[in-house]
């Protein structure tokens, strides 16, 4: 068995093995020497790399930073290894140029990075069959020896006890090979049993040392957790705390109160799609108003079946028997039916509905619940009530933009300093006893600017990418931006790069492989936004002699805790490898997006902001507010196929020399607009329906404009020419144009354009003489 972490180098690279042994020998009693010798180790390892490549012999004359950067550009060093060398270099510089008193934390970081590059080096240049051992923290020579050396190092009893504890814990870590948690001399070894009022309410259990109360609470947000399973018959205290009231809850409560007072049969339809919260809402109401809800039978078509041999339609027909045409007049049953719209539509088209449920079918048909072009109104009559989730948006539209009471309140629930908040009380128990990426991210989530930025991104995901965000996927999303996927990364001994990769903004925009929602959010990354201001910020960072100064100029680093401390030692930007430079460039822009109040406006998407305004005016039925987008749509009709002159559009571009156009006179049509009031809207359509008719505004054709199509219209107005893929993506717009072309005057007039000579000729039909004339235009 090897005596130290670098023993595997002994056979082929004895010099490296010896330096590694010396580092571990002095590790606990001389951390500064660890940093100095760590730099020497990296110098020797880079020399060994040069020996393996004849063309690299001259790099030994370069400075360490230049050698690292050169090998990275030659793609000899991988991105991760280049970043490890960055850490080794700047920690080595710190050890060489500063007096350090027992800096075990940086010594651990150096040791871990040295092990990483050594394993990579051995696998690449040593032995292809080499299998690395598991990393272990350095083992003290003996507890007695450590004690005597520590006694010489300090006369402070408190400091002495801390260092003795550190040494003994590190020794234990080498024995317990399953443990990956290092000892932090700043952290007490005993759990901090916080005595604040209310803590005991949320802390019936005591975790072991090193385990996290907050991480345990956050894990309940995961889709794989037991708490993620929705059941209309169960409602835990955890779900009750996270419950956020929405307007649909008021509507359902009103329907329940109306129904319970009636003597005839009452059927309440709660319609929607998978994961929209039907089961959650029913469970909440059953828990809060048991006397009211228990007067109803509840059937959830997605979870319940009487007989495995029966289909969902068979089961529905059976459960709905009291509401059939034959029995409804004499029945007094009360039923809440939570049903997905697809299942309801299938039932309405089945023989059951046609033969036995005509009264019910007429009610459903009148509700327009399957009509996507209109907002479904809550319908009710003497027997039936219909409430649909489909048009209750998780955010609100206002004249000045979008907000989300639901998302904002849910995020606030996670961080509120209240007696009822299990997350905050878990955080209080953790903050003085352990450290972790999730602790830093939880503290970031406490900042209103961070929460507002997250809410804005969620709304953008819905509008720009038509994302359907269920409550379950939303809670899982919150977990994923708080807790890194790789929880094995040691937080205490992680360097600036690793701490950057564990920050909430990084997890938010780099987590596309973790969920579909994060994949969509990654497309909204502010690093894609290029403006003069953003470019200036990056230029400042790229020319900084200490990257901390540039970060500090735009961001209040006090909110970033340990991360802010880490970047203080990184130094000049030009000394970093490309891999580290790219990381810090992205980190600065992402942090500025959330926290740099002075430059936040540069990240505003003007096209998106205008679309929200048009969407609002459409949903309140204000034609004046739609003037510009209506003109944009008309202009785009002509630009899509091309136009030789005003009010003419090409109908045939197959000939490269001569193309044919027709006159097209169309007028906007607004007869379909409905007044939706003003102020704050929480029920609205997510697309803008515009229409054009002929010159007399008759025979209108409609076009639903979503955000992707709106982006295309804006690009067309700026000179963009659509390609084949654009035409495939915008097939509905192409079909709309084909219909609009029917309003053209091609039967009486055609314009022929010679592209070579730039001359135009008209073929005109004369009604009076019933003949065609052909003349130059």
């Amino acid at each position: 068995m090897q005596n130290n972490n670098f023993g595997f180098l002994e056979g082929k690279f004895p010099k490296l093995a010896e330096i590694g042994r010396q580092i571990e020998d002095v590790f606990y009693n001389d951390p500064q020497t660890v940093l100095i010798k760590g730099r020497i180790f990296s110098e020797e390892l880079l020399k060994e790399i040069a020996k393996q490549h004849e063309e690299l012999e001259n790099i030994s004359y370069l400075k360490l930073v230049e050698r690292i950067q050169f090998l990275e550009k030659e793609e000899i060093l991988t991105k991760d290894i280049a970043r490890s060398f960055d850490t080794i270099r700047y920690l080595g510089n710190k050890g060489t140029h500063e007096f350090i008193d027992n800096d075990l934390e940086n010594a651990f970081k150096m040791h871990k990075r040295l092990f990483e590059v050594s394993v990579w080096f051995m696998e690449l240049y040593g032995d292809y069959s080499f299998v690395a051992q598991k990393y272990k923290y350095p083992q003290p020579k003996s507890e007695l020896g450590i004690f005597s050396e520590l006694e010489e190092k300090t006369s402070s009893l408190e400091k002495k006890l801390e260092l003795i504890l550190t040494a003994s814990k590190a020794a234990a870590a080498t024995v317990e090979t399953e443990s990956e948690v290092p000892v932090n001399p700043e952290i007490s070894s005993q759990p901090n049993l916080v005595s604040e009022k209310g803590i005991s309410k949320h802390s019936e259990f005591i975790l072991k040392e090193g385990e996290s109360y907050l991480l345990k609470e956050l894990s309940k947000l995961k889709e794989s957790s037991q708490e993620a399973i929705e059941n209309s018959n169960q409602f835990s205290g955890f779900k009750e705390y996270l419950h956020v009231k929405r307007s649909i809850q008021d509507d359902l409560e009103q329907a329940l109160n109306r129904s319970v007072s009636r003597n005839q049969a009452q059927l309440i339809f709660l319609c929607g799609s998978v994961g929209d919260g039907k089961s959650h809402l029913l469970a909440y109401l059953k828990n809060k108003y048991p006397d009211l809800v228990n007067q109803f039978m509840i059937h959830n078509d997605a979870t319940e079946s009487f007989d495995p041999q029966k289909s969902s339609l068979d089961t529905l027909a059976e459960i709905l028997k009291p509401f059939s045409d034959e029995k409804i007049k004499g029945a007094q049953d009360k039923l809440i039916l939570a049903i997905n719209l697809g299942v309801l539509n299938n039932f309405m088209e089945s023989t059951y509905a046609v033969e036995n449920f005509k009264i019910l079918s007429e009610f459903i048909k009148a509700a327009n619940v399957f009509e996507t072009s209109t907002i479904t109104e809550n319908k009710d009559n003497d027997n039936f009530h219909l409430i649909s989730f489909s048009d209750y948006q998780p955010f609100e539209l206002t004249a000045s933009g979008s907000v989300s009471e639901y998302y904002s309140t849910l995020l606030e629930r996670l961080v509120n300093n209240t007696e009822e908040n299990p997350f905050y009380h878990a955080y209080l128990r953790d903050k003085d006893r352990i450290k972790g990426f999730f602790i830093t991210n939880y503290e970031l989530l406490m900042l209103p600017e961070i929460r507002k930025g997250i809410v804005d991104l969620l709304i953008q995901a819905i509008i720009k990418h038509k994302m359907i965000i269920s409550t379950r996927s939303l809670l899982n999303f919150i977990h994923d931006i708080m807790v890194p996927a790789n929880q094995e990364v040691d937080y205490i001994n992680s360097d600036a790069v690793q701490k950057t990769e564990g920050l909430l903004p990084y997890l938010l925009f780099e987590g596309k492989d973790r969920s579909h929602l994060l994949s969509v959010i990654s497309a909204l990354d502010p690093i894609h936004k290029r403006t003069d201001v953003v470019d200036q910020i990056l230029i400042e960072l790229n020319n900084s002699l200490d990257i901390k100064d540039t970060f500090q100029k735009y961001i209040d680093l006090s909110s970033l805790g340990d991360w802010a401390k880490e970047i203080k030692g990184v130094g000049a930007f030009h000394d970093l490898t490309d891999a580290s430079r790219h990381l810090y460039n992205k980190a600065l822009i992402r942090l500025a997006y959330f926290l740099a109040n002075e430059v936040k406006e540069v990240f505003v998407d003007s096209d998106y902001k205008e679309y929200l305004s048009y969407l609002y005016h459409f949903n309140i039925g204000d034609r004046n507010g739609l003037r510009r987008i209506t003109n944009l749509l008309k202009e785009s009709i002509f630009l899509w196929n091309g136009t030789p002159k005003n009010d003419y559009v090409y109908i045939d571009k197959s000939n490269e020399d001569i193309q044919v156009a027709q006159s097209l006179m169309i007028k906007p049509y607004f007869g379909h607009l409905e007044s939706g009031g003003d102020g704050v809207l929480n029920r609205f359509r997510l697309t803008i329906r515009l229409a054009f008719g002929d010159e007399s505004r008759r025979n209108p054709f409609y076009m639903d404009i979503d955000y992707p199509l709106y982006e295309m219209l804006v690009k067309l107005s700026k000179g963009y020419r659509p390609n084949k893929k654009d035409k495939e993506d915008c097939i509905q717009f192409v079909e709309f144009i084909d219909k609009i072309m029917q309003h053209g005057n091609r039967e009486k007039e055609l314009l022929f354009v010679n592209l070579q000579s730039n001359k135009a000729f008209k073929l005109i039909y004369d009604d009076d003489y019933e003949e065609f004339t052909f003349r130059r235009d």
Side-chain angles (χ1 to χ4, degrees):
M1 184 176 177
Q2 296 166 352
N3 294 327
N4 63 72
N5 281 280
F6 304 96
F8 60 82
L9 296 168
E10 184 68 43
K12 293 195 173 184
F13 307 103
K15 189 171 183 179
L16 288 172
E18 174 59 21
I19 300 174
R21 185 192 63 77
Q22 293 175 8
I23 288 172
E24 295 205 342
D25 283 348
V26 301
F27 190 87
Y28 290 101
N29 60 312
D30 196 352
Q32 183 157 10
T33 297
V34 172
L35 303 185
I36 296 171
K37 285 187 176 289
R39 180 187 171 102
I40 295 172
F41 184 99
S42 68
E43 298 254 15
E44 290 298 324
L45 191 145
L46 292 174
K47 288 179 183 178
E48 292 291 346
I49 291 176
K51 291 179 183 178
Q52 309 297 323
H53 303 266
E54 293 183 3
E55 68 277 13
L56 298 181
E57 291 182 0
N58 292 331
I59 72 166
S60 59
Y61 299 102
L62 299 175
K63 293 190 296 185
L64 177 60
V65 61
E66 294 171 342
R67 267 182 283 168
I68 295 171
Q69 292 172 345
F70 179 84
L71 292 175
E72 182 197 28
K73 289 178 181 177
E74 293 296 313
E75 297 184 348
I76 292 174
L77 302 183
T78 66
K79 179 177 71 173
D80 290 337
I81 294 301
R83 288 174 176 172
S84 292
F85 271 109
D86 275 336
T87 301
I88 293 168
R89 179 188 55 76
Y90 71 70
L91 288 178
N93 288 344
K94 182 176 181 179
T96 302
H97 301 296
E98 301 176 21
F99 170 73
I100 302 172
D101 184 21
N102 297 306
D103 190 0
L104 277 173
E105 188 170 324
N106 279 327
F108 274 117
K109 293 172 189 172
M110 172 67 84
H111 187 266
K112 187 72 175 288
R113 300 295 88 75
L114 292 175
F115 179 77
E116 289 172 357
V117 299
S118 298
V119 169
W120 165 82
F121 175 71
M122 189 66 177
E123 289 174 342
L124 197 61
Y125 297 104
D127 185 350
Y128 292 122
S129 63
F130 167 72
V131 177
Q133 65 186 24
K134 191 173 182 179
Y135 174 75
K136 298 177 182 178
Y137 294 98
Q139 185 174 6
K141 291 177 291 186
S142 70
E143 291 192 14
L144 183 60
I146 290 293
F147 180 82
S148 61
E149 290 172 3
L150 293 175
E151 197 169 33
E152 296 173 2
K153 290 278 181 187
T154 178
S155 58
S156 166
L157 179 60
E158 181 181 357
K159 188 68 175 178
K160 188 185 303 181
L161 291 174
E162 279 187 343
L163 295 175
I164 293 172
L165 176 63
T166 299
S168 62
K169 291 292 185 182
T174 63
V175 177
E176 298 178 15
T177 56
E178 292 300 315
S179 174
E180 283 293 320
V181 181
V183 175
N184 180 5
E186 298 179 2
I187 298 176
S188 169
S189 63
Q190 298 298 322
N192 179 19
L193 302 180
V194 182
S195 59
E196 284 94 333
K197 181 180 179 182
I199 288 291
S200 59
K201 177 180 177 181
H202 303 284
S203 307
E204 306 85 8
F205 52 88
I206 299 296
L207 296 180
K208 297 178 182 177
E209 181 182 343
E211 293 182 343
S212 165
Y213 291 96
L214 179 57
L215 191 59
K216 187 175 181 66
E217 293 297 331
L218 291 173
S219 68
K220 296 177 183 178
L221 302 176
K222 295 166 62 176
E223 285 184 322
S224 58
S225 75
Q226 184 68 28
E227 291 288 349
I229 300 174
E230 292 291 358
N231 188 315
S232 59
N233 296 315
Q234 296 179 359
F235 203 77
S236 65
F238 181 80
K239 289 179 181 177
E240 183 175 6
Y241 175 73
L242 287 181
H243 176 78
V244 178
K245 187 175 183 180
R246 298 168 64 182
S247 57
I248 192 172
Q249 179 180 325
D250 290 329
D251 294 340
L252 180 55
E253 288 180 14
Q254 291 172 13
L256 289 170
N257 286 313
R258 284 196 302 269
S259 298
V260 78
S261 62
R262 295 176 180 175
N263 293 325
Q264 65 264 54
Q266 297 291 298
L267 171 57
I268 299 176
F269 286 96
L270 187 60
C271 305
S273 55
V274 176
D276 56 14
K278 295 186 295 296
S279 297
H280 172 86
L281 179 55
L282 288 174
Y284 173 80
L285 293 177
K286 193 170 184 178
N287 181 69
K288 187 172 183 180
Y289 306 112
D291 293 339
L292 173 63
V293 178
N294 287 339
Q295 297 183 56
F296 293 80
M297 176 182 171
I298 298 176
H299 180 77
N300 191 327
D301 81 278
T303 60
E304 298 179 20
S305 176
F306 296 140
D307 188 338
Q309 302 300 320
K310 293 183 178 181
S311 68
S312 60
L313 297 184
D314 296 333
T315 303
L316 269 179
E318 185 170 341
I319 199 72
L320 291 174
K321 270 185 181 179
F323 306 93
S324 65
D325 300 336
E326 180 183 355
K327 297 185 176 183
I328 190 169
K329 289 184 179 180
Q332 293 187 345
D333 300 63
K334 289 180 170 55
L335 170 66
I336 301 172
L337 177 60
I339 188 168
N340 291 336
L341 285 171
V343 177
L344 180 59
N345 185 59
N346 291 339
F347 183 77
M348 290 299 104
E349 294 179 351
S350 70
T351 56
Y352 288 118
V354 173
E355 296 176 0
N356 303 309
F357 294 92
K358 294 177 183 177
I359 298 174
L360 176 58
S361 296
E362 286 299 318
F363 171 80
I364 297 296
K365 183 178 179 180
N368 292 322
V369 69
F370 306 119
E371 178 58 56
T372 59
S373 62
T374 60
I375 296 175
T376 304
E377 297 291 340
N378 293 337
K379 293 289 184 181
D380 66 79
N381 62 20
D382 291 341
N383 301 107
F384 304 123
H385 309 261
L386 187 142
I387 300 170
S388 176
F389 269 87
S390 57
D391 292 309
Y392 288 86
Q393 304 298 342
F395 65 97
E396 294 79 49
L397 272 182
T398 72
S400 58
S402 61
V403 293
S404 177
E405 184 70 21
Y406 175 55
Y407 291 153
S408 298
T409 303
L410 184 59
L411 290 175
E412 287 172 8
R413 289 278 171 88
L414 296 174
V415 297
N416 279 343
N417 180 5
T418 63
E419 189 172 328
E420 294 79 17
N421 185 359
F423 297 95
Y424 186 74
H425 286 289
Y427 163 73
L428 289 180
R429 299 195 73 179
D430 277 354
K431 69 173 186 176
D432 293 327
R433 55 185 290 271
I434 65 171
K435 291 188 176 183
F437 296 104
F438 54 92
I439 297 286
T440 299
N441 290 335
Y442 185 79
E443 291 170 345
L444 280 175
L445 195 66
M446 290 178 177
L447 302 176
E449 309 97 298
I450 294 287
R451 298 198 301 274
K452 182 181 184 304
I454 293 172
V455 170
D456 289 343
L457 289 168
L458 290 170
I459 298 174
Q460 287 187 55
I462 294 171
I463 292 179
K464 291 185 176 182
H465 298 274
K466 301 182 179 180
M467 186 72 193
I468 298 174
I469 306 176
S470 68
T471 301
R472 184 182 302 178
S473 63
L474 175 64
L475 295 178
N476 187 76
F477 161 81
I478 295 172
H479 170 272
D480 287 348
I481 65 174
M482 302 279 282
V483 183
N486 184 9
Q487 295 187 39
E488 295 181 359
V489 174
D490 168 16
Y491 177 83
I492 295 172
N493 298 322
S494 59
D495 56 26
V497 164
Q498 292 170 317
K499 281 189 169 65
T500 301
E501 291 175 332
L503 278 181
L504 186 150
Y506 187 93
L507 300 180
L508 182 64
F509 294 114
E510 298 278 352
K512 60 183 178 180
D513 295 330
R514 299 185 72 178
S515 71
H516 179 50
L517 178 53
L518 280 173
S519 177
V520 169
I521 293 291
S522 69
L524 304 173
D525 195 334
I527 64 171
H528 303 312
K529 184 77 172 179
R530 298 307 300 268
T531 67
D532 292 340
V533 175
V534 172
D535 288 344
Q536 181 59 39
I537 293 173
L538 292 178
I539 289 171
E540 288 183 39
L541 179 63
N542 281 250
N543 289 299
S544 62
L545 297 178
D546 189 337
I547 69 170
K548 168 187 65 68
D549 295 337
T550 306
F551 276 92
Q552 201 158 17
K553 178 179 178 180
Y554 293 99
I555 299 159
D556 179 7
L557 295 183
S558 63
S559 61
L560 289 159
D562 292 338
W563 182 83
K565 296 177 184 177
E566 287 294 337
I567 64 166
K568 288 181 180 179
V570 173
F573 189 87
H574 62 79
D575 285 342
L576 299 172
T577 60
D578 285 342
S580 294
R581 291 173 183 174
H582 291 156
L583 182 73
Y584 293 123
N585 275 332
K586 291 192 288 187
L588 178 56
I589 296 305
R590 288 166 177 168
L591 287 169
Y593 173 80
F594 288 104
L595 301 173
N597 292 324
E598 295 180 2
V599 297
K600 269 189 177 182
E601 284 301 313
V602 306
F603 297 108
V604 174
D605 185 336
S606 58
D607 292 340
Y608 172 70
K609 187 175 181 179
E610 287 181 350
Y611 182 81
L612 286 179
S613 175
Y614 298 140
L615 190 63
Y616 176 78
H617 288 291
F618 167 71
N619 279 284
I620 65 172
D622 176 18
R623 68 174 65 185
N624 289 326
L626 298 174
R627 184 188 302 273
R628 289 177 61 189
I629 190 174
T630 301
N631 292 336
L632 178 64
L633 178 60
K634 181 178 179 179
E635 179 186 11
S636 300
I637 293 171
F638 289 88
L639 292 174
W640 188 267
N641 285 345
T643 176
K645 64 177 188 177
N646 289 343
D647 298 324
Y648 281 82
V649 61
Y650 285 118
I651 59 176
D652 182 8
K653 299 176 69 175
S654 59
N655 191 305
E656 294 182 0
D657 297 324
I658 298 177
Q659 295 184 1
V660 184
Q662 71 165 351
S663 170
L664 182 63
M665 303 296 294
I666 54 177
K667 298 290 184 179
Y669 175 82
F670 299 105
H672 61 292
L673 292 184
E674 297 180 4
S675 176
D678 53 16
V680 178
L681 306 180
N682 55 32
R683 297 186 71 182
F684 51 87
R685 293 190 62 208
L686 290 175
T687 57
I688 302 167
R689 171 162 280 207
L690 298 181
F692 281 95
D694 58 23
E695 201 167 358
S696 301
R697 291 187 170 85
R698 292 177 299 201
N699 305 314
F701 293 109
Y702 299 88
M703 184 68 226
D704 289 320
I705 303 175
D706 57 12
Y707 185 77
L709 177 57
Y710 177 72
E711 273 191 313
M712 176 56 67
L713 301 185
V714 172
K715 289 167 66 176
L716 287 170
S717 70
K718 296 178 180 178
Y720 179 79
R721 300 182 66 180
N723 54 37
K724 183 179 179 181
K725 184 178 183 305
D726 293 327
K727 294 178 179 180
E728 292 173 352
D729 292 341
C730 300
I731 186 64
Q732 291 181 323
F733 182 54
V734 173
E735 293 173 351
F736 168 71
I737 292 176
D738 290 341
K739 293 176 183 178
I740 287 292
M741 295 290 276
Q742 298 174 26
H743 291 321
N745 198 28
R746 72 176 70 184
E747 295 180 355
K748 294 187 177 182
E749 177 188 311
L750 290 174
L751 182 68
F752 295 84
V753 181
N754 188 320
L755 300 181
Q756 303 300 325
S757 62
N758 201 28
K759 294 179 180 179
F761 300 86
K762 275 186 179 179
L763 179 64
I764 303 174
Y765 181 73
D766 190 328
D767 285 328
D768 294 332
Y769 298 99
E770 297 182 347
E771 64 180 9
F772 287 94
T773 60
F774 190 74
R775 65 170 182 261
R776 185 169 177 178
D777 185 48

